[in-house]
Amino acid sequence: MRAAALSLAVGAMAGALTSCGTKDRTVSYSGGTLEKVTPENERRGKEISVEAMGLFKDVESLRLGVDKTSPQGRQKVSLHMDRDSNCTGTFDAGPAQRGDLIMIEGQATYVRFSDESLQEIRELAVRRGPEIAARARERTALARGKYLKIPTGGAVGGPSMPVDSCDLDKITGQMPGGPGPDDVIKAQGQTRRYGEDVIPLVEHGNGETTVYVAAHGKPYVLGLEAEENGQTMRMRMSDYDEPVEAVAPAAAQTIDISEVSGSTGGGSLFEV
């Protein structure tokens, strides 16, 4: 997934707690004025939301998993990142776009494509003609089982990777400080999710979004489920403030992407 896709996913979380609505409110007459009586589940939903969003904004490290399905297909990414832009994880954006990555302090980035993705790249190249197919065979053979060392913020050509998505400051910065005065967020009864006791916070807009927060201790956000305009989004948050073990691969397992492209005729590594 590209950075924009992950940003959209995190934006969905913010939307779950900031979409406007005034449905299901009881209106009473008191002292010559009309007053809105806030149901208990809405009052509690807002209180929990404010605390949960504050905890999310202040986290030092986090594992974020996103599973998004749309008419264009399915995308999955799981990233464990910290404030220093150390990051490890996996990505799956469909054919020819699957693998894992390691980022060291936002500087050195290593990406390894799965064997399945490399085979799919070769198959795509065959459709483009013998010259491109031959170049793809050579380059994917070099990349098999290896980590590609690439410039942070760079790209490898056709396959997309979340190399620009390990920015925890950017992700948490998109979260608002709290729900608006007219937002309707309903806290439901305690239930089980992700093997833990959680409190669902439900918001209705164009679709339904449910945010799950921890039921015991501090209400950390543990997950989100949303459906809107033919798209479904599932997010999982875990490993709050746990250290990120980002270690550079051994030199024998690494290929510098600039050297590979230069030695095989220029162009992007997996140009198809």
Side-chain angles (χ1 to χ4, degrees), residues 113 135-136 139-140 143 148 156-157 257 260-261 264 267-271:
F113 285 93
R135 184 163 60 243
R139 293 179 174 181
T140 55
L148 306 175
V156 187
I257 189 172
V260 173
S261 297
T264 53
S268 62
L269 181 61
F270 300 128
E271 183 180 8

Side-chain angles (χ1 to χ4, degrees), residues 10-269:
V10 177
M13 179 194 298
L17 303 178
T18 58
S19 295
C20 294
T22 56
K23 297 180 180 179
D24 302 326
R25 299 238 175 157
T26 303
V27 178
S28 65
Y29 184 77
S30 173
T33 61
L34 289 174
E35 297 179 350
K36 293 179 179 179
V37 177
T38 302
E40 174 62 20
N41 63 346
E42 291 185 22
R43 182 194 64 77
R44 187 164 175 259
K46 279 197 172 184
E47 288 180 354
I48 296 173
S49 297
V50 170
E51 187 174 359
M53 293 160 72
L55 290 169
F56 188 87
K57 290 177 72 71
D58 292 339
V59 68
E60 290 299 320
S61 65
L62 171 74
R63 186 180 301 278
L64 177 65
V66 180
D67 188 341
K68 177 184 176 183
T69 302
S70 70
Q72 289 71 43
R74 186 178 184 183
Q75 297 178 323
K76 298 174 65 177
V77 64
S78 176
L79 300 172
H80 190 196
M81 67 193 83
D82 63 20
R83 295 287 182 182
D84 296 321
S85 293
N86 291 298
C87 184
T88 64
T90 61
F91 60 96
D92 182 348
Q97 302 178 73
R98 304 182 177 97
D100 56 81
L101 67 85
I102 302 170
M103 181 181 289
I104 312 296
E105 295 183 345
Q107 299 175 4
T109 303
Y110 303 87
V111 176
R112 180 174 61 185
F113 285 93
S114 67
D115 289 347
E116 180 183 16
S117 284
L118 296 177
Q119 177 60 33
E120 290 165 343
I121 290 169
R122 289 191 288 270
E123 292 171 357
L124 289 171
V126 168
R127 304 174 192 173
R128 297 290 304 278
E131 182 178 346
I132 292 177
R135 184 163 60 243
R137 284 195 301 271
E138 181 179 0
R139 293 179 174 181
T140 55
L142 288 172
R144 184 173 182 179
K146 303 284 189 178
Y147 282 92
L148 306 175
K149 184 177 181 180
I150 64 176
T152 299
V156 187
S160 61
M161 300 166 294
V163 295
D164 295 322
S165 301
C166 294
D167 190 339
L168 186 55
D169 289 337
K170 179 179 179 180
I171 291 173
T172 58
Q174 294 184 37
M175 291 293 288
D182 293 326
D183 295 344
V184 180
I185 303 165
K186 298 181 180 180
Q188 296 185 342
Q190 179 177 308
T191 186
R192 294 283 292 180
R193 207 77 169 187
Y194 321 116
E196 301 186 45
D197 293 333
V198 298
I199 297 174
L201 304 177
V202 181
E203 181 267 342
H204 293 275
N206 294 329
E208 180 175 293
T209 301
T210 303
V211 176
Y212 297 94
V213 302
H216 306 300
K218 296 181 178 181
Y220 283 101
V221 178
L222 301 181
L224 173 148
E225 295 179 2
E227 184 173 352
E228 183 176 356
N229 298 327
Q231 297 187 17
T232 60
M233 179 85 69
R234 289 181 173 82
M235 300 177 67
R236 178 79 169 94
M237 296 77 164
S238 60
D239 296 337
Y240 278 83
D241 294 325
E242 292 294 324
V244 177
E245 301 294 337
V247 179
Q253 296 180 293
T254 303
I255 300 176
D256 190 304
I257 189 172
S258 61
E259 295 178 4
V260 173
S261 297
S263 65
T264 53
S268 62
L269 181 61

